[in-house]
mmCIF file of all heavy atoms in Angstrom:
data_model
loop_
_atom_site.group_PDB
_atom_site.id
_atom_site.type_symbol
_atom_site.label_atom_id
_atom_site.label_comp_id
_atom_site.label_asym_id
_atom_site.label_seq_id
_atom_site.Cartn_x
_atom_site.Cartn_y
_atom_site.Cartn_z
ATOM 1 N N VAL A 1119 187.492 48.096 142.729
ATOM 2 C CA VAL A 1119 186.795 46.824 142.492
ATOM 3 C C VAL A 1119 187.505 45.784 143.302
ATOM 4 O O VAL A 1119 188.651 45.498 143.094
ATOM 5 C CB VAL A 1119 186.749 46.588 140.979
ATOM 6 C CG1 VAL A 1119 186.078 45.192 140.779
ATOM 7 C CG2 VAL A 1119 186.017 47.662 140.179
ATOM 8 N N GLY A 1120 186.788 45.147 144.173
ATOM 9 C CA GLY A 1120 187.463 44.167 145.129
ATOM 10 C C GLY A 1120 188.363 44.814 146.059
ATOM 11 O O GLY A 1120 189.485 44.496 146.166
ATOM 12 N N THR A 1121 187.815 45.880 146.740
ATOM 13 C CA THR A 1121 188.770 46.667 147.554
ATOM 14 C C THR A 1121 189.379 46.049 148.643
ATOM 15 O O THR A 1121 190.387 46.505 149.194
ATOM 16 C CB THR A 1121 187.835 47.945 147.974
ATOM 17 O OG1 THR A 1121 188.716 48.815 148.722
ATOM 18 C CG2 THR A 1121 186.711 47.533 148.923
ATOM 19 N N GLY A 1122 188.754 45.004 149.237
ATOM 20 C CA GLY A 1122 189.437 44.327 150.377
ATOM 21 C C GLY A 1122 189.409 45.160 151.592
ATOM 22 O O GLY A 1122 188.451 45.650 152.042
ATOM 23 N N ALA A 1123 190.637 45.363 152.060
ATOM 24 C CA ALA A 1123 190.895 46.314 153.195
ATOM 25 C C ALA A 1123 190.890 47.796 152.895
ATOM 26 O O ALA A 1123 191.270 48.589 153.753
ATOM 27 C CB ALA A 1123 192.142 45.894 153.989
ATOM 28 N N GLY A 1124 190.622 48.041 151.591
ATOM 29 C CA GLY A 1124 190.577 49.519 151.245
ATOM 30 C C GLY A 1124 191.707 49.906 150.324
ATOM 31 O O GLY A 1124 192.040 51.083 150.205
ATOM 32 N N PHE A 1125 192.443 48.956 149.750
ATOM 33 C CA PHE A 1125 193.610 49.331 148.934
ATOM 34 C C PHE A 1125 193.293 49.004 147.457
ATOM 35 O O PHE A 1125 192.931 47.993 147.136
ATOM 36 C CB PHE A 1125 194.790 48.486 149.352
ATOM 37 C CG PHE A 1125 195.136 48.623 150.852
ATOM 38 C CD1 PHE A 1125 195.139 47.519 151.665
ATOM 39 C CD2 PHE A 1125 195.414 49.796 151.419
ATOM 40 C CE1 PHE A 1125 195.430 47.655 152.965
ATOM 41 C CE2 PHE A 1125 195.768 49.955 152.718
ATOM 42 C CZ PHE A 1125 195.672 48.817 153.549
ATOM 43 N N PRO A 1126 193.472 50.060 146.638
ATOM 44 C CA PRO A 1126 194.037 51.412 146.953
ATOM 45 C C PRO A 1126 192.935 52.427 147.269
ATOM 46 O O PRO A 1126 193.328 53.539 147.657
ATOM 47 C CB PRO A 1126 194.685 51.820 145.535
ATOM 48 C CG PRO A 1126 193.751 51.230 144.551
ATOM 49 C CD PRO A 1126 193.253 49.913 145.119
ATOM 50 N N GLY A 1127 191.688 52.145 147.179
ATOM 51 C CA GLY A 1127 190.704 53.202 147.183
ATOM 52 C C GLY A 1127 190.611 54.088 148.453
ATOM 53 O O GLY A 1127 190.523 55.334 148.394
ATOM 54 N N MET A 1128 190.723 53.413 149.631
ATOM 55 C CA MET A 1128 190.633 54.213 150.898
ATOM 56 C C MET A 1128 191.935 55.126 150.999
ATOM 57 O O MET A 1128 191.775 56.300 151.416
ATOM 58 C CB MET A 1128 190.595 53.298 152.060
ATOM 59 C CG MET A 1128 190.366 53.996 153.404
ATOM 60 S SD MET A 1128 188.825 54.837 153.538
ATOM 61 C CE MET A 1128 187.745 53.378 153.913
ATOM 62 N N VAL A 1129 193.074 54.626 150.501
ATOM 63 C CA VAL A 1129 194.281 55.526 150.629
ATOM 64 C C VAL A 1129 194.141 56.618 149.659
ATOM 65 O O VAL A 1129 194.420 57.921 149.943
ATOM 66 C CB VAL A 1129 195.480 54.718 150.207
ATOM 67 C CG1 VAL A 1129 196.756 55.604 150.195
ATOM 68 C CG2 VAL A 1129 195.735 53.527 151.228
ATOM 69 N N LEU A 1130 193.563 56.390 148.492
ATOM 70 C CA LEU A 1130 193.373 57.493 147.498
ATOM 71 C C LEU A 1130 192.478 58.586 148.069
ATOM 72 O O LEU A 1130 192.673 59.821 147.898
ATOM 73 C CB LEU A 1130 192.796 56.904 146.205
ATOM 74 C CG LEU A 1130 193.605 55.884 145.448
ATOM 75 C CD1 LEU A 1130 192.895 55.487 144.184
ATOM 76 C CD2 LEU A 1130 195.027 56.288 145.219
ATOM 77 N N LYS A 1131 191.446 58.134 148.721
ATOM 78 C CA LYS A 1131 190.416 59.041 149.348
ATOM 79 C C LYS A 1131 191.037 59.872 150.470
ATOM 80 O O LYS A 1131 190.738 61.062 150.616
ATOM 81 C CB LYS A 1131 189.178 58.283 149.828
ATOM 82 C CG LYS A 1131 188.117 59.132 150.502
ATOM 83 C CD LYS A 1131 187.431 60.061 149.468
ATOM 84 C CE LYS A 1131 186.247 60.850 150.155
ATOM 85 N NZ LYS A 1131 185.605 61.787 149.260
ATOM 86 N N ILE A 1132 191.818 59.237 151.227
ATOM 87 C CA ILE A 1132 192.499 59.986 152.357
ATOM 88 C C ILE A 1132 193.435 61.037 151.838
ATOM 89 O O ILE A 1132 193.446 62.167 152.331
ATOM 90 C CB ILE A 1132 193.197 59.027 153.336
ATOM 91 C CG1 ILE A 1132 192.198 58.135 154.093
ATOM 92 C CG2 ILE A 1132 194.119 59.756 154.318
ATOM 93 C CD1 ILE A 1132 192.772 57.023 154.890
ATOM 94 N N VAL A 1133 194.149 60.694 150.758
ATOM 95 C CA VAL A 1133 195.082 61.657 150.209
ATOM 96 C C VAL A 1133 194.405 62.749 149.401
ATOM 97 O O VAL A 1133 194.820 63.910 149.437
ATOM 98 C CB VAL A 1133 196.116 60.905 149.297
ATOM 99 C CG1 VAL A 1133 197.090 61.904 148.528
ATOM 100 C CG2 VAL A 1133 196.982 59.929 150.068
ATOM 101 N N ARG A 1134 193.265 62.374 148.759
ATOM 102 C CA ARG A 1134 192.529 63.308 147.856
ATOM 103 C C ARG A 1134 191.041 63.218 148.250
ATOM 104 O O ARG A 1134 190.279 62.443 147.643
ATOM 105 C CB ARG A 1134 192.718 62.921 146.421
ATOM 106 C CG ARG A 1134 194.041 63.429 145.796
ATOM 107 C CD ARG A 1134 193.968 64.883 145.290
ATOM 108 N NE ARG A 1134 192.903 65.073 144.337
ATOM 109 C CZ ARG A 1134 192.905 64.839 143.136
ATOM 110 N NH1 ARG A 1134 194.090 64.467 142.504
ATOM 111 N NH2 ARG A 1134 191.883 65.044 142.275
ATOM 112 N N ASN A 1135 190.620 64.009 149.200
ATOM 113 C CA ASN A 1135 189.273 63.946 149.720
ATOM 114 C C ASN A 1135 188.302 64.396 148.667
ATOM 115 O O ASN A 1135 187.064 64.060 148.789
ATOM 116 C CB ASN A 1135 189.129 64.840 150.996
ATOM 117 C CG ASN A 1135 187.795 64.586 151.675
ATOM 118 O OD1 ASN A 1135 187.167 63.569 151.607
ATOM 119 N ND2 ASN A 1135 187.461 65.641 152.397
ATOM 120 N N ASP A 1136 188.666 65.038 147.616
ATOM 121 C CA ASP A 1136 187.749 65.479 146.589
ATOM 122 C C ASP A 1136 187.220 64.394 145.756
ATOM 123 O O ASP A 1136 186.295 64.559 145.082
ATOM 124 C CB ASP A 1136 188.432 66.620 145.770
ATOM 125 C CG ASP A 1136 189.620 65.973 144.938
ATOM 126 O OD1 ASP A 1136 190.670 65.881 145.589
ATOM 127 O OD2 ASP A 1136 189.389 65.594 143.801
ATOM 128 N N ILE A 1137 187.967 63.201 145.749
ATOM 129 C CA ILE A 1137 187.548 62.073 144.865
ATOM 130 C C ILE A 1137 186.157 61.560 145.263
ATOM 131 O O ILE A 1137 185.771 61.477 146.471
ATOM 132 C CB ILE A 1137 188.538 60.898 144.988
ATOM 133 C CG1 ILE A 1137 189.866 61.381 144.349
ATOM 134 C CG2 ILE A 1137 188.051 59.658 144.463
ATOM 135 C CD1 ILE A 1137 191.012 60.354 144.652
ATOM 136 N N ASP A 1138 185.321 61.289 144.298
ATOM 137 C CA ASP A 1138 184.034 60.671 144.515
ATOM 138 C C ASP A 1138 184.199 59.165 144.439
ATOM 139 O O ASP A 1138 184.320 58.591 143.332
ATOM 140 C CB ASP A 1138 183.010 61.105 143.483
ATOM 141 C CG ASP A 1138 181.580 60.589 143.598
ATOM 142 O OD1 ASP A 1138 181.424 59.697 144.484
ATOM 143 O OD2 ASP A 1138 180.697 61.106 142.948
ATOM 144 N N LEU A 1139 184.336 58.505 145.654
ATOM 145 C CA LEU A 1139 184.778 57.188 145.721
ATOM 146 C C LEU A 1139 183.720 56.167 145.882
ATOM 147 O O LEU A 1139 182.837 56.364 146.743
ATOM 148 C CB LEU A 1139 185.878 57.052 146.848
ATOM 149 C CG LEU A 1139 186.422 55.644 147.093
ATOM 150 C CD1 LEU A 1139 187.237 55.153 145.897
ATOM 151 C CD2 LEU A 1139 187.247 55.614 148.364
ATOM 152 N N THR A 1140 183.742 54.993 145.271
ATOM 153 C CA THR A 1140 182.968 53.896 145.548
ATOM 154 C C THR A 1140 183.955 52.618 145.849
ATOM 155 O O THR A 1140 184.759 52.396 145.190
ATOM 156 C CB THR A 1140 182.118 53.441 144.307
ATOM 157 O OG1 THR A 1140 181.161 54.503 144.062
ATOM 158 C CG2 THR A 1140 181.270 52.259 144.674
ATOM 159 N N LEU A 1141 183.664 51.990 147.031
ATOM 160 C CA LEU A 1141 184.417 50.840 147.434
ATOM 161 C C LEU A 1141 183.539 49.659 147.288
ATOM 162 O O LEU A 1141 182.424 49.535 147.960
ATOM 163 C CB LEU A 1141 184.764 50.971 148.960
ATOM 164 C CG LEU A 1141 185.710 52.182 149.263
ATOM 165 C CD1 LEU A 1141 185.718 52.441 150.791
ATOM 166 C CD2 LEU A 1141 187.172 51.971 148.740
ATOM 167 N N LEU A 1142 183.905 48.685 146.458
ATOM 168 C CA LEU A 1142 183.015 47.609 146.108
ATOM 169 C C LEU A 1142 183.750 46.250 146.517
ATOM 170 O O LEU A 1142 184.933 46.067 146.237
ATOM 171 C CB LEU A 1142 182.694 47.555 144.636
ATOM 172 C CG LEU A 1142 181.759 46.412 144.149
ATOM 173 C CD1 LEU A 1142 180.823 46.927 143.137
ATOM 174 C CD2 LEU A 1142 182.630 45.275 143.529
ATOM 175 N N ASP A 1143 182.982 45.434 147.166
ATOM 176 C CA ASP A 1143 183.602 44.166 147.584
ATOM 177 C C ASP A 1143 182.492 43.152 147.811
ATOM 178 O O ASP A 1143 181.320 43.490 148.141
ATOM 179 C CB ASP A 1143 184.448 44.298 148.906
ATOM 180 C CG ASP A 1143 185.428 43.049 148.992
ATOM 181 O OD1 ASP A 1143 185.067 42.033 149.532
ATOM 182 O OD2 ASP A 1143 186.567 43.309 148.567
ATOM 183 N N GLY A 1144 182.789 41.869 147.526
ATOM 184 C CA GLY A 1144 181.723 40.779 147.713
ATOM 185 C C GLY A 1144 181.696 40.249 149.161
ATOM 186 O O GLY A 1144 180.812 39.460 149.421
ATOM 187 N N LEU A 1145 182.641 40.701 150.061
ATOM 188 C CA LEU A 1145 182.577 40.221 151.473
ATOM 189 C C LEU A 1145 182.183 41.311 152.267
ATOM 190 O O LEU A 1145 182.907 42.320 152.541
ATOM 191 C CB LEU A 1145 183.948 39.649 151.793
ATOM 192 C CG LEU A 1145 184.069 38.772 152.945
ATOM 193 C CD1 LEU A 1145 183.271 37.541 152.844
ATOM 194 C CD2 LEU A 1145 185.559 38.351 153.212
ATOM 195 N N ASN A 1146 181.036 41.110 152.955
ATOM 196 C CA ASN A 1146 180.451 42.277 153.745
ATOM 197 C C ASN A 1146 181.299 42.684 154.965
ATOM 198 O O ASN A 1146 181.214 43.800 155.327
ATOM 199 C CB ASN A 1146 178.992 41.892 154.137
ATOM 200 C CG ASN A 1146 178.240 43.048 154.594
ATOM 201 O OD1 ASN A 1146 178.170 44.123 153.964
ATOM 202 N ND2 ASN A 1146 177.612 42.999 155.766
ATOM 203 N N LYS A 1147 181.932 41.682 155.585
ATOM 204 C CA LYS A 1147 182.652 42.019 156.826
ATOM 205 C C LYS A 1147 183.731 42.975 156.529
ATOM 206 O O LYS A 1147 184.133 43.885 157.344
ATOM 207 C CB LYS A 1147 183.200 40.842 157.511
ATOM 208 C CG LYS A 1147 184.191 39.946 156.771
ATOM 209 C CD LYS A 1147 184.615 38.723 157.548
ATOM 210 C CE LYS A 1147 185.733 37.962 156.855
ATOM 211 N NZ LYS A 1147 186.104 36.759 157.740
ATOM 212 N N ARG A 1148 184.370 42.978 155.344
ATOM 213 C CA ARG A 1148 185.371 43.961 154.954
ATOM 214 C C ARG A 1148 184.739 45.297 154.795
ATOM 215 O O ARG A 1148 185.353 46.339 155.210
ATOM 216 C CB ARG A 1148 186.020 43.573 153.641
ATOM 217 C CG ARG A 1148 186.810 42.295 153.618
ATOM 218 C CD ARG A 1148 187.330 41.913 152.298
ATOM 219 N NE ARG A 1148 188.040 40.693 152.288
ATOM 220 C CZ ARG A 1148 188.174 39.908 151.127
ATOM 221 N NH1 ARG A 1148 187.558 40.300 150.046
ATOM 222 N NH2 ARG A 1148 188.931 38.799 151.243
ATOM 223 N N LEU A 1149 183.537 45.353 154.280
ATOM 224 C CA LEU A 1149 182.824 46.658 154.143
ATOM 225 C C LEU A 1149 182.373 47.264 155.489
ATOM 226 O O LEU A 1149 182.437 48.422 155.657
ATOM 227 C CB LEU A 1149 181.615 46.521 153.249
ATOM 228 C CG LEU A 1149 181.973 46.024 151.839
ATOM 229 C CD1 LEU A 1149 180.743 45.781 150.960
ATOM 230 C CD2 LEU A 1149 182.951 47.011 151.059
ATOM 231 N N ILE A 1150 182.124 46.360 156.494
ATOM 232 C CA ILE A 1150 181.817 46.922 157.796
ATOM 233 C C ILE A 1150 183.077 47.564 158.355
ATOM 234 O O ILE A 1150 182.983 48.572 158.963
ATOM 235 C CB ILE A 1150 181.381 45.709 158.689
ATOM 236 C CG1 ILE A 1150 179.921 45.155 158.221
ATOM 237 C CG2 ILE A 1150 181.253 46.164 160.161
ATOM 238 C CD1 ILE A 1150 179.572 43.870 158.858
ATOM 239 N N PHE A 1151 184.216 46.945 158.171
ATOM 240 C CA PHE A 1151 185.508 47.595 158.576
ATOM 241 C C PHE A 1151 185.692 48.899 157.807
ATOM 242 O O PHE A 1151 185.955 49.926 158.467
ATOM 243 C CB PHE A 1151 186.679 46.636 158.238
ATOM 244 C CG PHE A 1151 187.967 47.341 158.201
ATOM 245 C CD1 PHE A 1151 188.545 47.871 159.332
ATOM 246 C CD2 PHE A 1151 188.644 47.471 157.002
ATOM 247 C CE1 PHE A 1151 189.859 48.419 159.323
ATOM 248 C CE2 PHE A 1151 189.891 48.100 156.970
ATOM 249 C CZ PHE A 1151 190.501 48.691 158.154
ATOM 250 N N LEU A 1152 185.452 48.981 156.604
ATOM 251 C CA LEU A 1152 185.678 50.230 155.786
ATOM 252 C C LEU A 1152 184.707 51.341 156.264
ATOM 253 O O LEU A 1152 184.983 52.495 156.274
ATOM 254 C CB LEU A 1152 185.598 49.901 154.249
ATOM 255 C CG LEU A 1152 186.687 49.047 153.737
ATOM 256 C CD1 LEU A 1152 186.441 48.801 152.261
ATOM 257 C CD2 LEU A 1152 188.076 49.696 153.937
ATOM 258 N N ASP A 1153 183.467 50.889 156.548
ATOM 259 C CA ASP A 1153 182.467 51.838 157.044
ATOM 260 C C ASP A 1153 182.997 52.518 158.348
ATOM 261 O O ASP A 1153 182.795 53.671 158.604
ATOM 262 C CB ASP A 1153 181.126 51.145 157.355
ATOM 263 C CG ASP A 1153 180.121 51.259 156.220
ATOM 264 O OD1 ASP A 1153 180.140 52.373 155.516
ATOM 265 O OD2 ASP A 1153 179.345 50.361 156.009
ATOM 266 N N GLU A 1154 183.666 51.679 159.181
ATOM 267 C CA GLU A 1154 184.217 52.149 160.477
ATOM 268 C C GLU A 1154 185.287 53.158 160.294
ATOM 269 O O GLU A 1154 185.348 54.197 160.938
ATOM 270 C CB GLU A 1154 184.639 50.961 161.368
ATOM 271 C CG GLU A 1154 185.238 51.431 162.688
ATOM 272 C CD GLU A 1154 184.267 51.977 163.585
ATOM 273 O OE1 GLU A 1154 183.062 51.812 163.448
ATOM 274 O OE2 GLU A 1154 184.697 52.730 164.600
ATOM 275 N N VAL A 1155 186.101 52.888 159.240
ATOM 276 C CA VAL A 1155 187.322 53.718 158.839
ATOM 277 C C VAL A 1155 186.714 55.063 158.440
ATOM 278 O O VAL A 1155 187.078 56.155 158.857
ATOM 279 C CB VAL A 1155 188.114 53.170 157.794
ATOM 280 C CG1 VAL A 1155 189.204 54.182 157.398
ATOM 281 C CG2 VAL A 1155 188.801 51.814 158.294
ATOM 282 N N LEU A 1156 185.745 55.045 157.522
ATOM 283 C CA LEU A 1156 185.073 56.268 156.972
ATOM 284 C C LEU A 1156 184.487 57.133 158.123
ATOM 285 O O LEU A 1156 184.584 58.314 158.093
ATOM 286 C CB LEU A 1156 184.033 55.933 155.863
ATOM 287 C CG LEU A 1156 184.650 55.338 154.647
ATOM 288 C CD1 LEU A 1156 183.467 54.687 153.747
ATOM 289 C CD2 LEU A 1156 185.276 56.415 153.800
ATOM 290 N N LYS A 1157 183.742 56.439 158.947
ATOM 291 C CA LYS A 1157 183.053 57.121 160.126
ATOM 292 C C LYS A 1157 184.102 57.722 161.001
ATOM 293 O O LYS A 1157 183.946 58.907 161.362
ATOM 294 C CB LYS A 1157 182.199 56.086 160.832
ATOM 295 C CG LYS A 1157 181.463 56.737 162.031
ATOM 296 C CD LYS A 1157 180.674 55.597 162.719
ATOM 297 C CE LYS A 1157 180.031 56.149 164.028
ATOM 298 N NZ LYS A 1157 179.269 55.084 164.693
ATOM 299 N N THR A 1158 185.137 57.004 161.364
ATOM 300 C CA THR A 1158 186.206 57.540 162.287
ATOM 301 C C THR A 1158 186.863 58.742 161.630
ATOM 302 O O THR A 1158 187.149 59.730 162.381
ATOM 303 C CB THR A 1158 187.192 56.433 162.596
ATOM 304 O OG1 THR A 1158 186.519 55.370 163.128
ATOM 305 C CG2 THR A 1158 188.222 56.939 163.602
#
């Protein structure tokens, strides 16, 4: 909740890919960044 640049959610997902993760934030430009990380 309020993931920002993906902390801690993105790190948790990279370490444990089995996690069913939702990244929530009120600022869309941060989510565009996180989409790029996920895609890459």
